[in-house]
Amino acid sequence: MHTHSPLSEILSLIQEHTGPVTEFRRTEQGNRSDLTAIADCATGPFFVKAMRNRPGGRRDSLVREREINDHLGHISPPLLWDVEAEDWLILGFEVVDGRAADFAPDSPDLPLAVDALALIGRLPLPEIARNWTETRWDRFASDNWEAELFRGDSLLYTDINPDNMMVQGRRMRVLDWAWPTKGAGFIDPALLVVQLIASGHSPAGAEKWAAQLAAWHRADPRAIDAFAAANLRMSVAFSERKPDEGWLKSLVIACRLWTDHRGVTPSADGARR
């Protein structure tokens, strides 16, 4: 049984990399982790993500984030050190001195967001990701044929939202690579479309931004339609599971506006169980 607090355990584990920590500022960013904070120290600061070292999806996501970081170039803050101990898995990243992106229709951040997704779209799929097949939308597709439309050999980010895309000067850094996958290249642009609609864009206006990305042009429109329908079903399922989360309700509205725009009318029972 541990007699120390989780914070004291983590501080003792990271001191090899940080030296004495003068301040440990908890953050909301990376809220799927057990702890996220800025560690101020002589060799830092560092953005610290820590997860209990127990088997399962959340721990696995931190492992995946550690494995993909070397393959992301300058689009993501570099991982500077990591610690894997009996009870904790801890990652230490470069701190991004910036602000969350603004996805509003008149925002000057929109070209930066498109440029960031274009950079991600040009990243080669690393060998480590060959078996990271994207399957999260499969059970929300109408059938196997539609699910196959989501397959591909592109490295996908999939966690597009303003809080994860930080503006730093005249460039954008993409944070929190908790679950990168391999799939159809249009999926990241499609997720941008939903986020833009949720931020006040018309569906047609949102698609104009996505249309600047090569993967959007290469995609079969039927694949985009199938994904829009599956994403709506997924959003509805998540919102029903967490009815008090207002942001999930906003995504449902955005997804529905988008499927209406594309002339897609997914039935509520179209998803496979």
Side-chain angles (χ1 to χ4, degrees):
M1 180 175 179
H2 294 293
T3 57
H4 299 292
S5 70
L7 180 56
S8 66
E9 292 175 28
I10 289 167
L11 286 174
S12 67
L13 290 169
I14 68 175
Q15 280 191 344
E16 174 187 351
H17 303 283
T18 64
V21 174
T22 56
E23 187 177 5
F24 208 62
R25 295 175 278 140
R26 301 288 291 267
T27 70
E28 295 182 3
Q29 192 177 313
N31 57 19
R32 284 187 292 262
S33 301
D34 290 323
L35 181 142
T36 59
I38 304 294
D40 291 316
C41 53
T43 57
F46 300 104
F47 177 65
V48 177
K49 296 180 74 169
M51 193 80 74
R52 293 282 186 182
N53 201 358
R54 300 167 180 155
R58 296 180 69 194
R59 186 259 185 199
D60 291 349
S61 73
L62 212 61
V63 171
R64 192 170 285 200
E65 185 167 7
R66 178 177 64 184
E67 292 177 339
I68 198 63
N69 188 264
D70 279 346
H71 305 281
L72 300 178
H74 297 294
I75 192 66
S76 177
L79 176 65
L80 302 175
W81 48 261
D82 66 280
V83 175
E84 185 159 7
E86 181 180 358
D87 294 323
W88 288 98
L89 175 61
I90 309 168
L91 307 184
F93 293 90
E94 176 187 282
V95 172
V96 175
D97 183 14
R99 59 171 176 81
D102 179 0
F103 280 1
D106 59 350
S107 171
D109 297 347
L110 296 173
L112 301 181
V114 171
D115 288 347
L117 289 187
L119 284 173
I120 293 172
R122 291 195 292 270
L123 290 173
L125 182 72
E127 192 62 33
I128 191 69
R130 289 287 169 190
N131 295 322
W132 295 353
T133 302
E134 178 56 72
T135 60
R136 282 170 289 184
W137 283 270
D138 286 12
R139 72 185 182 93
F140 298 100
S142 294
D143 51 39
N144 289 335
W145 180 84
E146 284 196 352
E148 284 299 313
L149 296 174
F150 309 153
R151 303 289 181 262
D153 289 319
S154 294
L155 178 66
L156 301 177
Y157 168 56
T158 73
D159 201 8
I160 296 166
N161 66 72
D163 288 337
N164 280 349
M165 304 183 80
M166 299 289 288
V167 177
Q168 189 178 38
R170 290 306 302 161
R171 67 170 174 165
M172 189 168 284
R173 308 291 291 279
V174 180
L175 314 182
D176 200 9
W177 285 74
W179 208 252
T181 53
K182 180 189 77 168
F186 74 84
I187 289 178
D188 275 346
L191 293 173
L192 175 66
V193 167
V194 173
Q195 288 289 328
L196 294 183
I197 296 171
S199 297
H201 294 249
S202 69
E207 286 192 347
K208 285 182 180 178
W209 288 103
Q212 298 180 37
L213 295 162
W216 185 266
H217 290 289
R218 291 195 296 263
D220 184 336
R222 296 174 300 172
I224 298 176
D225 289 345
F227 182 81
N231 200 44
L232 172 57
R233 295 188 192 104
M234 175 189 276
S235 299
V236 169
F238 287 176
S239 182
E240 289 175 348
R241 191 181 306 163
K242 297 181 178 181
D244 295 331
E245 296 284 352
W247 67 274
L248 287 172
K249 289 185 173 67
S250 296
L251 282 185
V252 170
I253 293 170
C255 289
R256 189 162 281 127
L257 287 170
W258 190 31
T259 54
D260 288 347
H261 169 72
R262 295 192 67 86
V264 179
T265 54
S267 60
D269 60 354
R272 296 169 295 161
R273 303 298 175 189

